[in-house]
Amino acid sequence: MFSHPRMHDSLWYASAAPAPKTVPLDGDRAVDVAIIGAGFTGCSAALHLAEKGVKTIVLEAQDIGFGGSGRNAGLVNAGLWLDPDDVVKTIGPDYGERLMTELGKGPSLVSEMIAKHGIQCDDVRKGVIKAGHSPSGQAHLEEHARQWQRRGANIEVIDRKRIAEMSGSEHYVGGIIDHRSYYIQPLSYARGLATAAVKAGAAIHERTPVTKLEAMGGKWKVKTATGTVTADKVIVATNAYSDDLWPGMKQEIIPVGCYMYATEPLGENVRKTILPALHPIYDTQPAMVFTRYDRDHRLVLGSLGYLPPGDAAAARHWPHRTLRYLFPHLGEQKMSFKWAGTLGFTSDAIPRFHEPAPGISMTLGYNGRGIAPGTYWGQMLAKRAMGMAASEFPLPVTPIKPARMRSLWMFFYESAFSAYRLKSLFK
Ligand SMILES: Cc1cc2nc3c(=O)[nH]c(=O)nc-3n(C[C@H](O)[C@H](O)[C@H](O)COP(=O)(O)OP(=O)(O)OC[C@H]3O[C@@H](n4cnc5c(N)ncnc54)[C@H](O)[C@@H]3O)c2cc1C
């Protein structure tokens, strides 16, 4: 159930901007900061450190963007999946409001990175729509919008007529449009951050899994099969793709699958009838469905859960049935790409900030929202490695705690998503 399928099957891998050329680590190095994992968090941290002249090395087990960063839907959303008031209730008003303010600005931070470093990532600045699939889903969206509006965010509620015009589907009862948000080619963005980090002076070594972290006289020895890095500070940016490198990290995350498909490019006549102004949409169904275009006007769609391996009927039929239900006039489409990844949930849907030993920092558990947050947490971890107080983080430093009843949660999510997927086949 918990596996990391190939990222090389994805549309993003087939259409991404080039990655910087790297080689596996070979031999021993000494740096100020070693970063483990080259997703948004690790690459953003490396870039922010290297820009300040800090000697930085990134060690990535596979390829840049191998984790969630190279596989995701590309929606650069603000905040978290939770409503802002729930965040405040869970972590208190001080941390909660600071967290919402910072993550509310997340999409602007990503824009800054794109502009400053000339990152080519097919960004489309249209706002992001969340569609209500039922009256109760819509009522929740309106409450979500109200809570953000009270905090000054530019979010608009849209009615049934407008969502039908904007989506090309009659199946939604309304929605909200978050004007802070937009969408990108996510692997191009991850590679763009990595390229900028290398230009600023960071070293990146792909195909270099870190196998051990060893404290050594106030420094850390970062061990790999082909060399070691001695570092003053270590940033662990392995998130939902964590292995057993640091005890308890993997067990703190509740892994949740997320899969995606992409069609062939649509002809212009039909394209103009579906997401006509190119807005991306995700919805309020328990196993949400999201749709967007890529730069060639392939329709990309996906949902939550791990697909059964192979060519099982539920997996084979899902994209066709879903498109037929949402856009009956679209006609049968060939699925040219199918891929999947893992989201890192936490028991309360709030990300974590840990410092389990002096000199080691990590954030994890982005709960399905990691493009803007990953960029932000990377920047914050870089600042922390350069001496910023931990209290400047909009999250408390907490001990690593394995999620309670993790296996049960995993079973619950998977069963619920596959039941939902099966049910959708009979719509
Ligand atoms: C299918 C899918 C759709 C999503 N859609 C969206 C979306 O639309 N919008 C959004 O904001 N977020 C979305 N997300 C979430 C988002 O992609 C993640 O939160 C984000 O990518 C996390 O970035 P990261 O850098 O923290 O971790 P990751 O990108 O997962 O990177 C972790 C890296 O650590 C490496 N690693 C692990 N162990 C080791 C080791 N021992 N040594 C060296 N390297 C190691 C891994 O190989 C991996 O490359 C989605 C996620 C998925 C899977």
PDB file of all heavy atoms in Angstrom, residues 20-26 29 57-60 62 203-208 226:
ATOM      1  N   PRO A  20      19.699  20.618 -13.073  1.00  0.00           N
ATOM      2  CA  PRO A  20      21.156  20.814 -13.099  1.00  0.00           C
ATOM      3  C   PRO A  20      21.852  19.458 -13.192  1.00  0.00           C
ATOM      4  O   PRO A  20      21.329  18.464 -12.687  1.00  0.00           O
ATOM      5  CB  PRO A  20      21.440  21.494 -11.750  1.00  0.00           C
ATOM      6  CG  PRO A  20      20.258  21.197 -10.887  1.00  0.00           C
ATOM      7  CD  PRO A  20      19.083  20.996 -11.810  1.00  0.00           C
ATOM      8  N   LYS A  21      22.990  19.437 -13.854  1.00  0.00           N
ATOM      9  CA  LYS A  21      23.739  18.159 -13.961  1.00  0.00           C
ATOM     10  C   LYS A  21      24.412  17.892 -12.623  1.00  0.00           C
ATOM     11  O   LYS A  21      25.105  18.765 -12.094  1.00  0.00           O
ATOM     12  CB  LYS A  21      24.826  18.276 -15.032  1.00  0.00           C
ATOM     13  CG  LYS A  21      24.279  18.534 -16.432  1.00  0.00           C
ATOM     14  CD  LYS A  21      24.145  17.232 -17.227  1.00  0.00           C
ATOM     15  CE  LYS A  21      23.448  17.424 -18.552  1.00  0.00           C
ATOM     16  NZ  LYS A  21      22.007  17.720 -18.482  1.00  0.00           N
ATOM     17  N   THR A  22      24.192  16.712 -12.079  1.00  0.00           N
ATOM     18  CA  THR A  22      24.836  16.388 -10.798  1.00  0.00           C
ATOM     19  C   THR A  22      25.440  14.981 -10.878  1.00  0.00           C
ATOM     20  O   THR A  22      25.080  14.202 -11.764  1.00  0.00           O
ATOM     21  CB  THR A  22      23.838  16.403  -9.614  1.00  0.00           C
ATOM     22  OG1 THR A  22      23.087  15.181  -9.634  1.00  0.00           O
ATOM     23  CG2 THR A  22      22.890  17.583  -9.661  1.00  0.00           C
ATOM     24  N   VAL A  23      26.316  14.673  -9.948  1.00  0.00           N
ATOM     25  CA  VAL A  23      26.868  13.309  -9.855  1.00  0.00           C
ATOM     26  C   VAL A  23      26.680  12.849  -8.414  1.00  0.00           C
ATOM     27  O   VAL A  23      26.558  13.680  -7.504  1.00  0.00           O
ATOM     28  CB  VAL A  23      28.378  13.280 -10.199  1.00  0.00           C
ATOM     29  CG1 VAL A  23      28.609  13.541 -11.671  1.00  0.00           C
ATOM     30  CG2 VAL A  23      29.157  14.258  -9.324  1.00  0.00           C
ATOM     31  N   PRO A  24      26.660  11.521  -8.188  1.00  0.00           N
ATOM     32  CA  PRO A  24      26.577  11.060  -6.793  1.00  0.00           C
ATOM     33  C   PRO A  24      27.792  11.539  -5.998  1.00  0.00           C
ATOM     34  O   PRO A  24      28.869  11.768  -6.574  1.00  0.00           O
ATOM     35  CB  PRO A  24      26.589   9.533  -6.949  1.00  0.00           C
ATOM     36  CG  PRO A  24      26.132   9.274  -8.347  1.00  0.00           C
ATOM     37  CD  PRO A  24      26.614  10.424  -9.163  1.00  0.00           C
ATOM     38  N   LEU A  25      27.602  11.687  -4.712  1.00  0.00           N
ATOM     39  CA  LEU A  25      28.718  12.092  -3.845  1.00  0.00           C
ATOM     40  C   LEU A  25      29.828  11.047  -3.953  1.00  0.00           C
ATOM     41  O   LEU A  25      29.563   9.843  -3.980  1.00  0.00           O
ATOM     42  CB  LEU A  25      28.229  12.172  -2.396  1.00  0.00           C
ATOM     43  CG  LEU A  25      29.277  12.600  -1.366  1.00  0.00           C
ATOM     44  CD1 LEU A  25      29.649  14.073  -1.540  1.00  0.00           C
ATOM     45  CD2 LEU A  25      28.761  12.368   0.062  1.00  0.00           C
ATOM     46  N   ASP A  26      31.053  11.545  -3.997  1.00  0.00           N
ATOM     47  CA  ASP A  26      32.181  10.621  -4.099  1.00  0.00           C
ATOM     48  C   ASP A  26      33.291  11.190  -3.221  1.00  0.00           C
ATOM     49  O   ASP A  26      33.893  12.200  -3.581  1.00  0.00           O
ATOM     50  CB  ASP A  26      32.609  10.538  -5.581  1.00  0.00           C
ATOM     51  CG  ASP A  26      33.733   9.540  -5.770  1.00  0.00           C
ATOM     52  OD1 ASP A  26      33.982   8.763  -4.833  1.00  0.00           O
ATOM     53  OD2 ASP A  26      34.360   9.554  -6.844  1.00  0.00           O
ATOM     54  N   ARG A  29      33.489  15.467   2.297  1.00  0.00           N
ATOM     55  CA  ARG A  29      33.373  16.930   2.179  1.00  0.00           C
ATOM     56  C   ARG A  29      33.126  17.511   3.567  1.00  0.00           C
ATOM     57  O   ARG A  29      32.583  16.831   4.448  1.00  0.00           O
ATOM     58  CB  ARG A  29      32.178  17.336   1.319  1.00  0.00           C
ATOM     59  CG  ARG A  29      32.109  16.699  -0.046  1.00  0.00           C
ATOM     60  CD  ARG A  29      32.939  17.471  -1.075  1.00  0.00           C
ATOM     61  NE  ARG A  29      32.601  17.014  -2.409  1.00  0.00           N
ATOM     62  CZ  ARG A  29      32.989  15.850  -2.929  1.00  0.00           C
ATOM     63  NH1 ARG A  29      33.727  15.028  -2.222  1.00  0.00           N
ATOM     64  NH2 ARG A  29      32.631  15.524  -4.160  1.00  0.00           N
ATOM     65  N   ILE A  57      25.503  21.700   0.990  1.00  0.00           N
ATOM     66  CA  ILE A  57      25.465  20.522   0.118  1.00  0.00           C
ATOM     67  C   ILE A  57      24.093  19.859   0.269  1.00  0.00           C
ATOM     68  O   ILE A  57      23.563  19.789   1.382  1.00  0.00           O
ATOM     69  CB  ILE A  57      26.605  19.557   0.496  1.00  0.00           C
ATOM     70  CG1 ILE A  57      27.002  18.658  -0.673  1.00  0.00           C
ATOM     71  CG2 ILE A  57      26.277  18.680   1.676  1.00  0.00           C
ATOM     72  CD1 ILE A  57      28.358  17.968  -0.446  1.00  0.00           C
ATOM     73  N   VAL A  58      23.513  19.431  -0.846  1.00  0.00           N
ATOM     74  CA  VAL A  58      22.230  18.719  -0.812  1.00  0.00           C
ATOM     75  C   VAL A  58      22.475  17.278  -1.244  1.00  0.00           C
ATOM     76  O   VAL A  58      23.093  17.040  -2.296  1.00  0.00           O
ATOM     77  CB  VAL A  58      21.196  19.357  -1.773  1.00  0.00           C
ATOM     78  CG1 VAL A  58      19.849  18.640  -1.671  1.00  0.00           C
ATOM     79  CG2 VAL A  58      21.027  20.843  -1.501  1.00  0.00           C
ATOM     80  N   LEU A  59      21.986  16.329  -0.464  1.00  0.00           N
ATOM     81  CA  LEU A  59      22.122  14.911  -0.806  1.00  0.00           C
ATOM     82  C   LEU A  59      20.727  14.354  -1.055  1.00  0.00           C
ATOM     83  O   LEU A  59      19.855  14.426  -0.176  1.00  0.00           O
ATOM     84  CB  LEU A  59      22.802  14.160   0.344  1.00  0.00           C
ATOM     85  CG  LEU A  59      24.173  14.724   0.741  1.00  0.00           C
ATOM     86  CD1 LEU A  59      24.694  14.053   2.001  1.00  0.00           C
ATOM     87  CD2 LEU A  59      25.175  14.598  -0.397  1.00  0.00           C
ATOM     88  N   GLU A  60      20.515  13.833  -2.239  1.00  0.00           N
ATOM     89  CA  GLU A  60      19.194  13.332  -2.637  1.00  0.00           C
ATOM     90  C   GLU A  60      19.316  11.850  -3.000  1.00  0.00           C
ATOM     91  O   GLU A  60      20.148  11.472  -3.826  1.00  0.00           O
ATOM     92  CB  GLU A  60      18.660  14.155  -3.824  1.00  0.00           C
ATOM     93  CG  GLU A  60      17.520  13.537  -4.598  1.00  0.00           C
ATOM     94  CD  GLU A  60      16.279  13.183  -3.764  1.00  0.00           C
ATOM     95  OE1 GLU A  60      15.809  14.038  -3.009  1.00  0.00           O
ATOM     96  OE2 GLU A  60      15.804  12.026  -3.874  1.00  0.00           O
ATOM     97  N   GLN A  62      17.392   9.943  -4.742  1.00  0.00           N
ATOM     98  CA  GLN A  62      17.021   9.581  -6.121  1.00  0.00           C
ATOM     99  C   GLN A  62      17.331  10.754  -7.051  1.00  0.00           C
ATOM    100  O   GLN A  62      18.482  11.043  -7.258  1.00  0.00           O
ATOM    101  CB  GLN A  62      15.535   9.225  -6.158  1.00  0.00           C
ATOM    102  CG  GLN A  62      15.132   8.186  -5.116  1.00  0.00           C
ATOM    103  CD  GLN A  62      15.258   6.772  -5.628  1.00  0.00           C
ATOM    104  OE1 GLN A  62      15.472   6.541  -6.806  1.00  0.00           O
ATOM    105  NE2 GLN A  62      15.131   5.799  -4.744  1.00  0.00           N
ATOM    106  N   ALA A 203      26.135  22.754  -3.645  1.00  0.00           N
ATOM    107  CA  ALA A 203      26.410  21.503  -4.377  1.00  0.00           C
ATOM    108  C   ALA A 203      25.216  20.584  -4.184  1.00  0.00           C
ATOM    109  O   ALA A 203      24.658  20.518  -3.077  1.00  0.00           O
ATOM    110  CB  ALA A 203      27.669  20.847  -3.827  1.00  0.00           C
ATOM    111  N   ILE A 204      24.810  19.893  -5.259  1.00  0.00           N
ATOM    112  CA  ILE A 204      23.724  18.905  -5.145  1.00  0.00           C
ATOM    113  C   ILE A 204      24.233  17.566  -5.669  1.00  0.00           C
ATOM    114  O   ILE A 204      24.845  17.516  -6.740  1.00  0.00           O
ATOM    115  CB  ILE A 204      22.475  19.337  -5.950  1.00  0.00           C
ATOM    116  CG1 ILE A 204      21.946  20.695  -5.447  1.00  0.00           C
ATOM    117  CG2 ILE A 204      21.379  18.267  -5.861  1.00  0.00           C
ATOM    118  CD1 ILE A 204      20.677  21.191  -6.121  1.00  0.00           C
ATOM    119  N   HIS A 205      23.996  16.522  -4.904  1.00  0.00           N
ATOM    120  CA  HIS A 205      24.363  15.174  -5.341  1.00  0.00           C
ATOM    121  C   HIS A 205      23.114  14.307  -5.347  1.00  0.00           C
ATOM    122  O   HIS A 205      22.551  14.013  -4.282  1.00  0.00           O
ATOM    123  CB  HIS A 205      25.412  14.573  -4.404  1.00  0.00           C
ATOM    124  CG  HIS A 205      26.692  15.352  -4.408  1.00  0.00           C
ATOM    125  ND1 HIS A 205      27.645  15.225  -5.395  1.00  0.00           N
ATOM    126  CD2 HIS A 205      27.153  16.299  -3.553  1.00  0.00           C
ATOM    127  CE1 HIS A 205      28.655  16.048  -5.147  1.00  0.00           C
ATOM    128  NE2 HIS A 205      28.378  16.718  -4.037  1.00  0.00           N
ATOM    129  N   GLU A 206      22.667  13.927  -6.568  1.00  0.00           N
ATOM    130  CA  GLU A 206      21.548  12.983  -6.676  1.00  0.00           C
ATOM    131  C   GLU A 206      22.095  11.568  -6.538  1.00  0.00           C
ATOM    132  O   GLU A 206      23.292  11.337  -6.522  1.00  0.00           O
ATOM    133  CB  GLU A 206      20.856  13.163  -8.031  1.00  0.00           C
ATOM    134  CG  GLU A 206      20.171  14.530  -8.160  1.00  0.00           C
ATOM    135  CD  GLU A 206      19.703  14.813  -9.576  1.00  0.00           C
ATOM    136  OE1 GLU A 206      20.568  15.094 -10.442  1.00  0.00           O
ATOM    137  OE2 GLU A 206      18.496  14.771  -9.818  1.00  0.00           O
ATOM    138  N   ARG A 207      21.170  10.606  -6.468  1.00  0.00           N
ATOM    139  CA  ARG A 207      21.544   9.182  -6.331  1.00  0.00           C
ATOM    140  C   ARG A 207      22.473   8.966  -5.148  1.00  0.00           C
ATOM    141  O   ARG A 207      23.407   8.188  -5.207  1.00  0.00           O
ATOM    142  CB  ARG A 207      22.224   8.670  -7.605  1.00  0.00           C
ATOM    143  CG  ARG A 207      21.504   9.034  -8.872  1.00  0.00           C
ATOM    144  CD  ARG A 207      20.862   7.859  -9.550  1.00  0.00           C
ATOM    145  NE  ARG A 207      19.812   8.375 -10.430  1.00  0.00           N
ATOM    146  CZ  ARG A 207      18.597   7.882 -10.521  1.00  0.00           C
ATOM    147  NH1 ARG A 207      18.246   6.863  -9.798  1.00  0.00           N
ATOM    148  NH2 ARG A 207      17.702   8.398 -11.321  1.00  0.00           N
ATOM    149  N   THR A 208      22.206   9.712  -4.074  1.00  0.00           N
ATOM    150  CA  THR A 208      23.057   9.634  -2.889  1.00  0.00           C
ATOM    151  C   THR A 208      22.202   9.514  -1.632  1.00  0.00           C
ATOM    152  O   THR A 208      21.988  10.508  -0.918  1.00  0.00           O
ATOM    153  CB  THR A 208      23.973  10.896  -2.814  1.00  0.00           C
ATOM    154  OG1 THR A 208      24.665  11.051  -4.062  1.00  0.00           O
ATOM    155  CG2 THR A 208      24.985  10.789  -1.697  1.00  0.00           C
ATOM    156  N   THR A 226      28.832   6.264  -0.634  1.00  0.00           N
ATOM    157  CA  THR A 226      29.977   6.653  -1.471  1.00  0.00           C
ATOM    158  C   THR A 226      30.791   7.820  -0.906  1.00  0.00           C
ATOM    159  O   THR A 226      31.697   8.327  -1.577  1.00  0.00           O
ATOM    160  CB  THR A 226      29.478   7.046  -2.878  1.00  0.00           C
ATOM    161  OG1 THR A 226      28.387   7.980  -2.716  1.00  0.00           O
ATOM    162  CG2 THR A 226      28.995   5.838  -3.651  1.00  0.00           C
TER     163      THR A 226
END
